[in-house]
Amino acid sequence: KVHDTQGRLRELAHWIHEEPQNRTQANTEVNQGFFHAFLAEWLRLARHREATLLNRLRNHVRNHIMESIDLDRLANEAGMSKYHFLRCYKELAGTTPMDDVRRIRLEHARSLIMTTDFPLKEVAHRSGLGSQIQLTRLFRKYYDTTPGRLRKRH
């Protein structure tokens, strides 16, 4: 679904429909031009909606990074049922919402490790990852290193 708030798709569809349907070369080219413009506008609107939904939800996670975030909460924030939200999110982002939440939390933890001297237990807490063990496990999985090694390198 796309939201044609400015009526561009409606206008292009009207032009395609109203263009004389006789088979001259010029009319065929005009109709093809309108059709290509219609598709380009539809894709632009679809991408805008995707970016808006994903950005809004990712910002929600960043703003509530220390809180418990589950699929129900994200679906509620998106205004969708849990299963519809899961399908839409995976289609738009190419990953599941909870994988995205983990990635955002790890990015936050990585930033804290490189810019502060907080103990790793505190970094885990401030990133919503629960414990230092969980932080280390996820770091190994996603970054192929440990938080302590990352800190020593930087």
Side-chain angles (χ1 to χ4, degrees):
K1 292 181 181 180
V2 297
H3 298 284
D4 185 24
T5 57
Q6 296 180 343
R8 292 181 181 138
L9 291 177
R10 222 177 2 262
E11 188 69 25
L12 287 165
H14 176 73
W15 289 343
I16 292 168
H17 180 68
E18 294 299 317
E19 185 63 31
Q21 296 299 317
N22 54 13
R23 298 287 180 206
T24 67
Q25 182 67 25
N27 285 343
T28 301
E29 289 175 10
V30 168
N31 264 346
Q32 286 178 346
F34 285 150
F35 182 71
H36 288 291
F38 181 89
L39 287 177
E41 180 64 11
W42 185 83
L43 287 171
R44 186 189 72 78
L45 290 172
R47 281 190 206 110
H48 177 71
R49 179 175 177 264
E50 292 170 8
T52 302
L53 174 66
L54 294 176
N55 286 338
R56 191 176 86 233
L57 291 171
R58 288 171 178 161
N59 284 334
H60 175 78
V61 171
R62 286 181 189 102
N63 292 335
H64 301 277
I65 197 111
M66 292 175 63
E67 299 172 19
S68 175
I69 298 174
D70 60 12
L71 191 57
D72 288 323
R73 180 174 176 174
L74 292 174
N76 188 41
E77 184 70 24
M80 299 179 189
S81 75
K82 180 168 64 172
Y83 298 106
H84 181 65
F85 169 70
L86 183 58
R87 281 190 304 273
C88 287
Y89 198 96
K90 194 165 185 173
E91 183 180 318
L92 296 175
T95 187
T96 66
M98 297 316 292
D99 281 341
D100 232 7
V101 169
R102 256 187 305 282
R103 183 188 53 78
I104 290 167
R105 288 179 180 209
L106 280 170
E107 287 172 0
H108 184 71
R110 187 171 178 245
S111 174
L112 289 174
I113 288 167
M114 294 190 315
T115 60
T116 70
D117 59 354
F118 293 142
L120 294 180
K121 182 178 178 180
E122 180 68 17
V123 169
H125 172 71
R126 288 178 181 242
S127 302
L129 293 170
S131 69
Q132 183 176 342
I133 293 169
Q134 178 76 349
L135 173 71
T136 302
R137 187 176 66 75
L138 289 172
F139 251 75
R140 279 190 181 125
K141 180 179 178 181
Y142 285 86
Y143 297 130
D144 199 30
T145 189
T146 65
R149 282 190 212 137
L150 177 68
R151 180 169 272 166
K152 284 178 187 175
R153 273 190 257 142
H154 295 292

